[in-house]
Amino acid sequence: DAGITQSPRHKVTETGTPVTLRCHQTENHRYMYWYRQDPGHGLRLIHYSYGVKDTDKGEVSDGYSVSRSKTEDFLLTLESATSSQTSVYFCAISADRFEGHEQFFGPGTRLTVL
Amino acid sequence: KQEVTQIPAALSVPEGENLVLNCSFTDSAIYNLQWFRQDPGKGLTSLLLIQSSQREQTSGRLNASLDKSSGRSTLYIAASQPGDSATYLCAATNDYKLSFGAGTTVTVRA
């Protein structure tokens, strides 16, 4: 299994509070991604990173920010959590974005915003 | 925008039967087609990756085919077992982005 950990694994928070999720990898892969998974919507990309300090938006980036100060860590921040951000969040990594490079997924973080 | 569709949404078969899972995509300019397995409450496990230049990929009882021109991929699971019960997701890679289908939930009855 690819060395990807996510923390916390479960979190319950209240509307309006800031929340930071962490993804840590031991594979030294260049690309890191944050997805959310919701019933009826499947998996959708929030943000991705193509190197240290290099990030870009995915299809559902509103309300989220990211940072990557080290190759191994990719942080997802909800500046002011809303109930619509209740979801399961997955981090993924890949060595590159081209043909032949798989994306590997972490175990997920279940976030509940009350 | 890439749209990925998986049919059927659910499938129930007796143990030993072969499984056929279908995936279609609208944009054929893909780098890869990746198949995943997801157990309830768990993360995604990568099963197979087919590069755009390949027609199929095999791993044990699993075989996946890719036809870019028609925008289709099929996952075959031979001699199904109860342990194969899970949701199977396909995802197409365009540039950096994976676009996922909604999945096929498989139940293998003992």
Side-chain angles (χ1 to χ4, degrees):
Chain A
D1 288 346
I4 310 168
T5 56
Q6 293 185 231
S7 59
R9 295 291 315 280
H10 301 271
K11 186 170 183 67
V12 180
T13 191
E14 294 189 350
T15 297
T17 60
V19 176
T20 295
L21 309 183
R22 180 184 184 235
C23 176
H24 179 78
Q25 60 143 331
T26 58
E27 305 296 323
N28 200 36
H29 281 359
R30 178 184 174 191
Y31 284 79
M32 298 186 75
Y33 312 81
W34 278 107
Y35 293 86
R36 60 179 289 175
Q37 185 175 34
D38 304 288
H41 291 278
L43 278 130
R44 294 176 291 173
L45 181 67
I46 306 171
H47 281 280
Y48 72 102
S49 169
Y50 48 96
V52 173
K53 299 192 187 306
D54 293 321
T55 66
D56 206 347
K57 296 178 180 180
E59 61 183 306
V60 289
S61 59
D62 288 348
Y64 302 95
S65 63
V66 291
S67 65
R68 190 169 178 200
S69 59
K70 298 185 290 185
T71 298
E72 58 266 35
D73 290 326
F74 192 32
L75 304 180
L76 177 71
T77 298
L78 290 66
E79 301 289 349
S80 178
T82 67
S83 59
S84 64
Q85 293 176 311
T86 292
S87 186
V88 180
Y89 291 86
F90 288 102
C91 173
I93 65 173
S94 65
D96 211 323
R97 62 183 176 90
F98 298 112
E99 186 173 344
H101 292 281
E102 290 176 83
Q103 286 196 21
F104 299 98
F105 281 71
T109 293
R110 185 173 297 275
L111 176 67
T112 302
V113 183
L114 301 176
Chain B
K1 181 188 173 187
Q2 179 72 275
E3 301 285 347
V4 180
T5 304
Q6 291 187 249
I7 295 173
L11 190 58
S12 179
V13 299
E15 184 176 2
E17 191 164 302
N18 296 334
L19 288 164
V20 181
L21 308 180
N22 297 302
C23 172
S24 62
F25 49 94
T26 55
D27 182 354
S28 62
I30 62 172
Y31 286 132
N32 306 298
L33 193 292
Q34 198 166 351
W35 283 93
F36 296 88
R37 169 185 171 138
Q38 186 174 31
D39 294 291
K42 303 293 185 183
L44 281 70
T45 300
S46 180
L47 297 174
L48 289 169
L49 177 137
I50 314 173
Q51 299 177 36
S52 65
S53 57
Q54 297 175 322
R55 296 301 297 269
E56 67 177 335
Q57 194 65 251
T58 298
S59 176
R61 294 185 295 112
L62 275 60
N63 174 275
S65 65
L66 175 65
D67 184 342
K68 278 181 55 178
S69 62
S70 67
R72 294 184 182 184
S73 177
T74 303
L75 178 66
Y76 301 90
I77 303 177
S80 61
Q81 305 167 358
D84 294 328
S85 297
T87 296
Y88 293 83
L89 299 161
C90 71
T93 308
N94 295 85
D95 197 7
Y96 61 87
K97 183 174 178 284
L98 272 183
S99 298
F100 284 85
T104 295
T105 299
V106 171
T107 302
V108 181
R109 308 186 302 272

